[in-house]
Amino acid sequence: MSRLPEYLRALHALAETGHETVSSEGLASAVGVNSAKLRKDLSHLGSYGTRGVGYDVALLIDQIESVLGLTQCRAVALVGVGNLGHALAGYDGFASRGFRIAALLDADPSRVGERINGLVVRHVDELSRVVAEETISIGVIATPAPAAQAVADELVAVGVTSILNFAPCVLSVPEGVDVRKVDLAIELQILSFHEHRKASLTALPATGGSALTALPGGLATTDTQEAIGT
Amino acid sequence: MSRLPEYLRALHALAETGHETVSSEGLASAVGVNSAKLRKDLSHLGSYGTRGVGYDVALLIDQIESVLGLTQCRAVALVGVGNLGHALAGYDGFASRGFRIAALLDADPSRVGERINGLVVRHVDELSRVVAEETISIGVIATPAPAAQAVADELVAVGVTSILNFAPCVLSVPEGVDVRKVDLAIELQILSFHEHRKASLTALPATGGSALTALPGGLATTDTQEAIGT
DNA sequence: AGGCGCTTGTGAAGAGGTGCACAAATCGCG
DNA sequence: CGCGATTTGTGCACCTCTTCACAAGCGCCT
């Protein structure tokens, strides 16, 4: 599930503060989910906690990392060293969680040769050579939208089967290739919607505003974290 | 729904290429969803297409933007001008979609005064003054994880009710405040999991590898776009 | 050794999203 | 004016995810 990485992060935090075991309740509240859901998730792993005690933190970390395939450090290739790509190249959150940026690529010749974080930007045409040098398991696309599909095609052509796409567009890829997308503007638009909904509700508490804002329970927007603790 | 922004993006692309109307089928394939789902989504808006013809692109854009509250340009305050914050400040995808970065804030005095994209970085203590100057509707947190909760508390204190959190941690906020989070490392970890699963399946097609990889249909990871077209 | 409290693992019920298939409605053409 | 082609809107069945509630198991204390 997509929640496993969140559990993992919380577990690492617990391990650093010296906890040896966690109850499902404790871990669940740290992540912000229902404890039953967490237990069910963990039971799918086949991982065993001990009843009456809880889960062994270190053991659980190993189990989850094993399932996520994080036992080995994965090399990622980053294509597009513009504004966003530059930030990603320098983001230390990757290295600290088992990912190594192995190559920086860009189509712009004026960017080729630039040095970022000890890595030299190479031309995107060298992609196949880069993949030959290192075992690239994930490709990250941080190009403008018009270039994204072509880059994706090239990545697929050289054997990359997992792509993280930051370009605001839909990618067409053959079966067997996984694509996840992150669109920063979409996140803002969803917040804007909530903002708009809240404004309507407070302004027109009786009528409820438009049809949408009056829907029972509002609209479900996945991944929205709402009202945890105080 | 969280799909509305994606529809909106596709619609803008269609409008630019001169289309005046779209069928649900056409728009659905452009976004990569089922046409029935799209029709149901749009029907929730109360927005009417005309049977036998399709949807009026311009009208639909207006409808969706109205629902999302994008009729007015929303001002966002960005806290944390590190690697990621720097990129976000320079990201032009915000302005082009109705968001204006109205303020840059950071706790590091050495960063205060820096000029990014025509905006001067101010100290985070000035937050209340910034909010007084402009109507900030969304706060973006791009600080390191340890500082995120404090920043969130301050944002809430000055009246911000929508927060986009890039820090890898769970935020506690009072009811009525919406938080969305984007964790770049989590996205990579999910891809890593798929990579790992695919590797196990090809290596051990008979046994199916671990218990997890043998689950029927694999594990559901929301937002994963898989095998669209060729 | 036995009982008690605590926690896991899981069956079952509930809720929500998804997709199919079809009726209703609209346009264009003869 | 009427008919057929086309497309929306939606009832229905299915399926997954979520949540509750409880039995089973483990450790500790007496």
Side-chain angles (χ1 to χ4, degrees):
Chain A
M1 322 268 182
S2 58
R3 283 187 295 269
L4 286 182
E6 308 192 36
Y7 299 161
L8 188 57
R9 178 155 50 77
L11 284 168
H12 274 299
L14 284 170
E16 280 178 18
T17 57
H19 296 71
E20 303 225 336
T21 62
V22 222
S23 69
S24 65
E25 198 81 35
L27 183 55
S29 71
V31 179
V33 300
N34 188 299
S35 65
K37 192 195 304 190
L38 185 139
R39 283 199 300 275
K40 194 153 284 189
D41 286 346
L42 294 185
S43 74
H44 286 329
L45 296 177
S47 143
Y48 297 146
T50 45
R51 307 182 179 211
V53 178
Y55 297 92
D56 183 298
V57 173
L59 178 66
L60 203 49
I61 287 177
D62 283 350
Q63 290 263 358
I64 294 180
E65 287 188 345
S66 157
V67 168
L68 291 178
L70 297 175
T71 47
Q72 51 180 323
C73 178
R74 292 193 175 271
V76 317
L78 175 58
V79 184
V81 194
N83 231 320
L84 184 58
H86 214 282
L88 294 176
Y91 185 51
D92 55 354
F94 290 153
S96 66
R97 294 209 241 161
F99 296 96
R100 189 172 56 87
I101 297 187
L104 300 177
L105 302 160
D106 203 302
D108 185 352
S110 70
R111 279 229 171 77
V112 172
E114 191 178 344
R115 197 178 196 82
I116 303 172
N117 246 24
L119 227 61
V120 177
V121 177
R122 302 167 70 171
H123 194 271
V124 71
D125 289 344
E126 292 192 62
L127 185 59
S128 61
R129 209 173 310 162
V130 169
V131 174
E133 293 167 9
E134 309 228 28
T135 309
I136 302 289
S137 57
I138 298 177
V140 177
I141 299 179
T143 67
Q149 182 61 57
V151 170
D153 292 342
E154 290 179 53
L155 283 170
V156 170
V158 299
V160 174
T161 54
S162 290
I163 295 176
L164 180 56
N165 179 31
F166 285 91
C169 64
V170 178
L171 295 180
S172 297
V173 295
E175 195 170 355
V177 177
D178 288 297
V179 175
R180 286 189 71 82
K181 74 176 174 348
V182 176
D183 189 327
L184 306 176
I186 283 187
E187 301 298 325
L188 281 182
Q189 288 177 347
I190 294 173
L191 283 176
S192 169
F193 164 66
H194 284 134
E195 215 35 49
H196 186 58
R197 185 168 55 89
K198 280 182 284 195
S200 311
L201 287 175
T202 54
L204 310 165
T207 68
S210 77
L212 249 193
T213 58
L215 278 180
L219 267 69
T221 52
T222 49
D223 280 353
T224 302
Q225 161 199 332
E226 201 162 350
I228 292 182
T230 312
Chain B
M1 321 267 186
S2 58
R3 283 186 296 269
L4 286 182
E6 307 193 35
Y7 300 160
L8 188 57
R9 178 153 51 76
L11 284 167
H12 274 299
L14 285 169
E16 279 177 18
T17 57
H19 295 71
E20 302 224 336
T21 62
V22 223
S23 69
S24 64
E25 197 82 34
L27 182 55
S29 72
V31 180
V33 300
N34 187 295
S35 65
K37 193 195 302 190
L38 185 140
R39 284 199 298 276
K40 196 156 288 190
D41 286 346
L42 294 185
S43 75
H44 285 331
L45 296 178
S47 144
Y48 298 146
T50 46
R51 305 181 179 210
V53 177
Y55 297 91
D56 183 296
V57 173
L59 178 65
L60 203 49
I61 287 178
D62 283 349
Q63 289 263 356
I64 295 180
E65 287 189 344
S66 157
V67 169
L68 291 179
L70 298 175
T71 48
Q72 52 181 323
C73 178
R74 292 193 174 270
V76 317
L78 174 58
V79 185
V81 195
N83 233 320
L84 185 59
H86 215 281
L88 293 176
Y91 185 50
D92 55 355
F94 291 153
S96 66
R97 294 207 240 162
F99 296 96
R100 187 174 57 86
I101 297 187
L104 301 178
L105 302 160
D106 203 300
D108 185 352
S110 69
R111 280 228 170 78
V112 172
E114 190 177 345
R115 197 178 195 82
I116 302 172
N117 246 22
L119 227 64
V120 177
V121 177
R122 304 166 68 173
H123 194 270
V124 72
D125 289 343
E126 294 191 59
L127 185 59
S128 61
R129 211 172 308 162
V130 169
V131 173
E133 293 166 10
E134 310 227 28
T135 310
I136 301 292
S137 57
I138 298 177
V140 176
I141 299 180
T143 67
Q149 183 62 56
V151 170
D153 291 342
E154 289 179 52
L155 284 171
V156 170
V158 298
V160 174
T161 54
S162 292
I163 295 176
L164 181 56
N165 179 30
F166 285 90
C169 63
V170 178
L171 295 181
S172 298
V173 295
E175 195 170 355
V177 177
D178 288 297
V179 175
R180 286 190 71 82
K181 74 177 175 347
V182 176
D183 189 327
L184 306 175
I186 281 187
E187 301 298 325
L188 282 182
Q189 288 177 347
I190 293 174
L191 284 175
S192 169
F193 164 65
H194 285 135
E195 233 6 71
H196 186 58
R197 184 169 55 92
K198 281 182 284 195
S200 311
L201 287 174
T202 55
L204 310 164
T207 67
S210 78
L212 249 193
T213 58
L215 279 180
L219 268 69
T221 53
T222 51
D223 283 352
T224 303
Q225 160 197 334
E226 200 162 350
I228 292 182
T230 311

